[in-house]
Amino acid sequence: MQRLTNKRIVLGVTGGIAAYKSAELIRRLIDAGAEVRVVMTKAAQEFITPLTLQALSGNPVHLALLDTEAEAGMGHIELARWGDALLIAPASADFIARLTHGHGNDLLTTLCLAARCPIHIAPAMNQGMWASTANQNNIQQLETNGIHLIGPSSGYQACGDIGLGRMSEPNDIAQILADSFLTGSLTGIRVVITAGPTREAIDPVRYISNHSSGKMGFALAEAARDAGANVTLIAGPVNLATPGRVNRINVISAKDMLAATTELLDTLSLSKNPVIFIGTAAVADYRPDTSATQKIKKTQGNPNLTLQLIENPDIIAAVAQRIPKPFTVGFAAETQNVLDYANDKISRKNLDMIVANDVSNKDIGFNSDLNAVTIIWPEGNKTIDIASKPIIASAIIQQISLQL
Ligand code: PMT
């Protein structure tokens, strides 16, 4: 988290049970070398006292827009100019709605309007509120406006529900904020990422597929975008919203994914900008030889059905054969001998880097919010212990930018 050293962070705290976590967040930011000034909404003060956050940040806490004494110390416009980043954690549904619509009816929304530095929000709310159409529309609009989303994560909630809406852990928020100061490391670079599973049709109603959710690929798309790249996701069938300011091409089968990849890379090769290709997708290695045009019916007295499978094209190997060759990063999903198989794949597929993950561990990898990886490149390797996929993604993007 060295990138937070001497950084000035304005931390906005809004009303919600997760406000207690902002005390720990301040500690994490200060431990990492940042200077923190806290702004609390009226509702936040119902959950945690300004005195606590003042003691932890070592600075007076800003509470009201129309406070002559506070304005005499550091006025709200001055405070907006002071910050290298504005972080709102927790960001309640109400605050998110007001931010989306450009309200300036309290100190924090006014600061957001006046700020010229990057704004990050770490939402925290009940899972139903998070999923509501109104809130999702607001989030999409904020991302389009260039506001960075951190989390939320999923799990047990204070109200007893389980689902997406918990504020990300303070350590993760501090790490993502630190990584955001990397912005610029991929400026001018085009990044193409395959994500999710492929589906290989057996007949019009059945297919062969796998458990990939697309989360790892989508997290990489956000991290690459935040590092300044122009990003395109080529996504298999997944149930994820497109991150703001990321292009997306939807595909179904491995053959579709190869066609979309080839077409896009052909277009990108017309410009001189460097290209990075990251193959996160869990591409089906085999597909049914033929896909029946009508639903295959059960035949009485025949308990067996034999499917003839044939090999799918290897997309990443084809990318690595291109001239000029994109900087090509593969993933290796293995259940045993993880590093040996990954090392074999990096040379067999002619890759510049490979990210190995052990998918035998049910807590990480496929369809989990977490992962743990070893990044391998010809001259070295780096292991990242279990962490959220956005954290892993930032570390991978950072390593890629160092290898370019
Ligand atoms: O999507 P999530 O739920 O977040 O899960 C993330 C993940 C586990 C899917 C991801 O971290 C991961 O490991 N992705 C690679 C999965 C995979 O197919 O691994 P592989 O070892 O079989 O393939 C090696 C590489 O070749 C991969 O980069 C893969 O995209 C690529 N490949 C494989 C086969 C093929 N026909 N074409 C390819 O391009």
Side-chain angles (χ1 to χ4, degrees):
M1 288 204 221
Q2 279 164 349
R3 278 174 238 104
L4 283 178
T5 309
N6 297 328
K7 288 285 182 293
R8 294 162 157 185
I9 310 298
V10 178
L11 174 67
V13 182
T14 73
I17 187 65
Y20 79 92
K21 288 192 191 172
S22 49
E24 196 193 330
L25 177 56
I26 294 170
R27 291 291 291 270
R28 295 283 85 81
L29 296 173
I30 288 179
D31 287 350
E35 190 178 347
V36 181
R37 286 186 173 265
V38 179
V39 177
M40 297 177 79
T41 64
K42 225 172 161 63
Q45 296 164 53
E46 303 285 337
F47 291 90
I48 187 163
T49 69
L51 197 58
T52 307
L53 302 191
Q54 176 168 319
L56 288 167
S57 67
N59 280 313
V61 171
H62 303 258
L63 300 173
L65 181 58
L66 305 172
D67 178 338
T68 42
E69 209 175 298
E71 286 288 302
M74 186 183 270
H76 64 281
I77 299 295
E78 221 180 324
L79 185 56
R81 286 193 191 127
W82 177 86
D84 294 314
L86 182 44
L87 166 67
I88 295 102
S92 66
D94 174 68
F95 174 78
I96 285 170
R98 290 190 292 123
L99 183 62
T100 307
H101 297 287
H103 289 202
N105 50 2
D106 65 4
L107 178 57
L108 191 54
T109 45
T110 313
L111 274 179
C112 291
L113 287 174
R116 291 293 165 263
C117 62
I119 301 178
H120 304 258
I121 57 168
M125 65 193 75
N126 161 270
Q127 50 91 19
M129 291 167 71
W130 171 255
S132 69
T133 308
N135 183 63
Q136 286 301 311
N137 287 343
N138 290 341
I139 291 291
Q140 210 166 357
Q141 185 60 53
L142 287 179
E143 288 205 290
T144 306
N145 294 353
I147 287 178
H148 305 272
L149 192 66
I150 303 180
S153 52
S154 67
Y156 283 98
Q157 302 201 300
C159 53
D161 282 4
I162 301 174
L164 204 59
R166 276 165 62 99
M167 187 170 96
S168 296
E169 290 309 315
N171 212 28
D172 286 357
I173 296 175
Q175 184 66 61
I176 289 171
L177 189 67
D179 290 344
S180 74
F181 287 105
L182 249 187
T183 301
S185 63
L186 295 187
T187 300
I189 294 181
R190 300 291 305 244
V191 176
V192 179
I193 302 173
T194 62
T198 62
R199 281 183 189 166
E200 310 300 328
I202 297 170
D203 68 15
V205 297
R206 304 182 182 94
Y207 55 79
I208 298 172
S209 191
N210 57 64
H211 296 292
S212 171
S213 62
K215 287 177 191 170
M216 192 67 244
F218 278 55
L220 276 161
E222 293 196 44
R225 174 204 65 195
D226 290 346
N230 184 323
V231 183
T232 302
L233 266 169
I234 301 179
V238 295
N239 194 16
L240 294 175
T242 312
R245 291 169 293 125
V246 166
N247 312 304
R248 175 173 180 170
I249 302 168
N250 288 323
V251 296
I252 305 285
S253 68
K255 275 181 21 187
D256 296 345
M257 193 172 265
L258 176 65
T261 302
T262 308
E263 194 182 337
L264 179 59
L265 292 180
D266 283 349
T267 312
L268 296 184
S269 67
L270 299 176
S271 99
K272 291 275 169 281
N273 287 350
V275 177
I276 298 171
F277 177 86
I278 310 178
T280 329
V283 184
D285 286 324
Y286 293 92
R287 67 176 186 277
D289 191 3
T290 51
S291 164
T293 50
Q294 302 298 330
K295 183 181 169 191
I296 299 171
K297 304 301 286 179
K298 229 162 102 169
T299 33
Q300 287 298 331
N302 184 2
N304 301 318
L305 172 70
T306 304
L307 289 175
Q308 175 77 28
L309 300 180
I310 57 165
E311 207 175 347
N312 261 329
D314 192 315
I315 299 166
I316 204 162
V319 169
Q321 294 301 323
R322 292 180 68 92
I323 299 173
K325 180 188 170 194
F327 186 88
T328 311
V329 182
F331 268 67
E334 306 293 350
T335 53
Q336 57 176 335
N337 305 329
V338 178
L339 295 184
D340 288 347
Y341 285 140
N343 276 313
D344 170 59
K345 274 178 189 161
I346 198 172
S347 54
R348 194 161 38 81
K349 299 194 184 209
N350 189 28
L351 308 178
D352 297 296
M353 184 181 277
I354 197 155
V355 180
N357 42 194
D358 180 350
V359 291
S360 68
N361 180 347
K362 293 275 171 282
D363 295 334
I364 61 171
F366 280 107
N367 201 17
S368 165
D369 288 336
L370 306 173
N371 209 352
V373 300
T374 300
I375 309 171
I376 304 170
W377 61 96
E379 302 80 26
N381 64 73
K382 182 174 183 176
T383 295
I384 317 229
D385 283 340
I386 193 158
S388 70
K389 283 182 177 168
I391 295 278
I392 300 273
S394 292
I396 294 170
I397 293 297
Q398 187 188 356
Q399 198 58 51
I400 291 173
S401 49
L402 291 173
Q403 297 315 125
L404 288 177

